[in-house]
Amino acid sequence: MLRQSSTRPATRPSSSRTRRGALRGSAALLALLLASGCDEAPQGRAANAAAAQPAPPPPEVTVVTIRRQEVPVTTVLPGRTVAFREAAVRPQVNGVIRERLFAEGQVVRAGQPLYQIEPAPYQAALAAAEAALARAEASERSAELTVNRYRPLARANAVSQQMLDNAEAALAQARADVAAARAEVEAARINLGYTRVTSPIDGRTGRSAVTPGALVTANQATPLVTITQLDPIYVDVTQPTASLLRQRRDIASGALRRASADQARAWLILEDGSEYPHPGQVQFAEVIVDSGTGSVTLRAVFPNPEGLLMPGMFIRARIEEGVTDRALLVPQQAVMRTPRGEPMAYVVNAEGVVEQRVLRTTRAIGTNWLVTEGIQEGDRVIVEGVMRVRPGARVNATEATPQQTAQDAQRPPAATPAPPARAAGG
């Protein structure tokens, strides 16, 4: 009895500890479930709220539909003006300048007197030549009379044939002396005329190198004055040979159309950026390439009635290369650069999705790039809103009106236009 009573109290503490451990495990599990429920509730509510909000609308962009068109193709080349004619006036006889007959900077005509050299020595030389001519002519008449008298006498054997032959030889010599004397007279008269120095061309005079009283010599190295004809005036521009070869290939293939293969119209841009009002004409291209620059010289002629152009001025000439009938022009504001530096543009396809196109440009025409690769007729190029789009994004495209296009062309582009990268022939 005593053993049984002693064993029962020993079993009660074990069951009590078991119940307390179970209660503690249930409480921990309940706390864990409550904590996880508290964490999941805000996340679920946020996901539900996000799913309930509507998706943002596609960005709005403005596009221009590319069409083929007839466009005149021009190129801008550097150059300098050259006088149409330039004459360095030098004396042709020796003497002292007695008078200057023009004002420096004056416009003169061909044949107008410029200087008067002392004529007295040349007048005396002319008089002496005329006297020698008279003496020779008198000897000629005497010899002619002698021959006329000897001829009938020789036929009658009154004089010998030798005497007649001598008389005829004397007549021939007298005639030669007359011819020489006449030449001397003409030379003296020419030298006397040279004492009056005249302008060889129409033009404007420069500074006079001599004053009255100066001694000058025939054909001296220093000119007395320089006459320059300014109307019309030449403009010499340099063109790289690669550009010239490309242009000739385009004309031969029909890509460029020109009325004349040897001549083209030209316009000038002056040093201050203004346009010269009178167009000119390209006359010819040099056939020799400058080995130092790898370029050829083109010569154009321009009217210069106001005298605005002066020899030696630096200018830029816009040369008309020809007309291309099916040109694709992309506005400069739509052209950007890829990370590799290639020109590119964003195009909206038929599904309203943005595509990136790498372009091949050749030249700038006004506010557009002439594109030969990367764009096709009918493509819609984004001109406004390019900073809000990316390739593969869906957009709402609005076609630009002609008025908007003109206004955009007058505004500077948002991004720096890409230069003509990968252009054939530079």
Side-chain angles (χ1 to χ4, degrees):
M1 295 296 294
L2 291 172
R3 188 178 297 130
Q4 292 177 354
S5 61
S6 61
T7 59
R8 285 175 187 162
T11 61
R12 285 174 186 164
S14 174
S15 61
S16 177
R17 286 194 297 270
T18 301
R19 286 195 297 272
R20 286 196 297 270
L23 290 175
R24 285 196 297 270
S26 299
L29 179 60
L30 180 61
L32 180 61
L33 292 174
L34 290 174
S36 64
C38 292
D39 292 340
E40 289 178 357
Q43 294 178 0
R45 287 195 299 269
N48 293 335
Q53 291 180 356
E60 299 285 339
V61 296
T62 303
V63 298
V64 170
T65 302
I66 305 302
R67 303 293 182 191
R68 292 191 181 274
Q69 51 188 303
E70 181 178 297
V71 175
V73 178
T74 61
T75 183
V76 178
L77 301 173
R80 289 194 180 274
T81 54
V82 180
F84 186 77
R85 290 179 182 173
E86 190 174 74
V89 180
R90 292 180 173 86
Q92 294 177 276
V93 293
N94 302 331
V96 175
I97 298 295
R98 190 172 71 176
E99 187 179 5
R100 191 183 75 188
L101 305 173
F102 70 97
E104 293 176 322
Q106 175 186 351
V107 175
V108 295
R109 299 297 179 186
Q112 180 174 335
L114 301 176
Y115 297 92
Q116 179 62 60
I117 298 175
E118 179 58 51
Y122 299 96
Q123 290 173 344
L126 176 59
E130 290 175 343
L133 174 60
R135 184 170 57 251
E137 289 175 342
S139 298
E140 179 189 16
R141 285 194 297 271
S142 175
E144 187 175 1
L145 292 174
T146 301
V147 169
N148 292 336
R149 186 166 52 248
Y150 281 181
R151 281 174 181 167
L153 295 176
R155 286 195 295 269
N157 294 323
V159 295
S160 65
Q161 186 64 36
Q162 180 66 39
M163 295 180 63
L164 177 60
D165 292 341
N166 291 341
E168 289 178 345
L171 175 60
Q173 183 176 357
R175 287 174 176 172
D177 292 341
V178 168
R182 285 175 179 167
E184 291 292 335
V185 170
E186 186 63 24
R189 186 176 289 112
I190 290 173
N191 288 335
L192 179 61
Y194 284 159
T195 61
R196 199 168 184 85
V197 182
T198 60
S199 174
I201 61 172
D202 296 343
R204 187 179 296 276
T205 61
R207 292 175 296 177
S208 175
V210 296
T211 57
L215 176 64
V216 295
T217 58
N219 303 317
Q220 63 185 26
T222 303
L224 302 179
V225 69
T226 299
I227 311 296
T228 306
Q229 183 175 346
L230 301 177
D231 185 23
I233 193 168
Y234 286 131
V235 173
D236 290 346
V237 297
T238 55
Q239 183 179 25
T241 53
S243 300
L244 182 62
L245 293 175
R246 174 183 52 79
Q247 174 189 338
R248 291 180 175 177
R249 283 195 301 266
D250 291 343
I251 294 175
S253 64
L256 281 179
R257 177 168 45 84
R258 183 192 287 182
S260 173
D262 298 328
Q263 294 187 346
R265 290 187 300 172
W267 297 264
L268 291 184
I269 304 172
L270 303 180
E271 289 182 283
D272 60 357
S274 62
E275 290 273 351
Y276 185 65
H278 305 291
Q281 192 83 12
V282 176
Q283 288 193 325
F284 73 98
E286 287 279 6
V287 296
I288 300 175
V289 178
D290 188 331
S291 59
T293 61
S295 60
V296 296
T297 299
L298 307 180
R299 168 158 286 187
V301 61
F302 286 82
N304 190 27
E306 298 87 4
L308 182 62
L309 300 179
M310 296 174 288
M313 290 179 61
F314 175 79
I315 51 83
R316 289 179 296 155
R318 191 169 70 251
I319 308 295
E320 182 184 62
E321 294 188 3
V323 177
T324 178
D325 296 324
R326 297 178 59 79
L328 294 175
L329 299 181
V330 176
Q332 289 184 358
Q333 66 187 57
V335 180
M336 298 173 293
R337 287 179 179 271
T338 66
R340 298 174 57 184
E342 300 171 313
M344 55 80 64
Y346 288 128
V347 175
V348 180
N349 62 19
E351 290 75 23
V353 178
V354 177
E355 297 179 359
Q356 178 178 317
R357 301 280 184 84
V358 177
L359 310 179
R360 182 183 180 91
T361 59
T362 58
R363 69 183 73 242
I365 299 179
T367 58
N368 302 304
W369 288 117
L370 178 61
V371 179
T372 57
E373 292 182 11
I375 292 292
Q376 298 179 355
E377 185 176 12
D379 286 344
R380 297 185 297 167
V381 177
I382 299 177
V383 293
E384 287 189 1
V386 292
M387 306 304 296
R388 300 192 297 269
V389 300
R390 67 181 186 278
R394 189 174 295 276
V395 295
N396 287 332
T398 303
E399 187 75 20
T401 63
Q403 182 178 2
Q404 288 176 333
T405 305
Q407 292 175 354
D408 294 339
Q410 294 175 358
R411 293 202 306 263
T416 302
R422 302 191 301 161

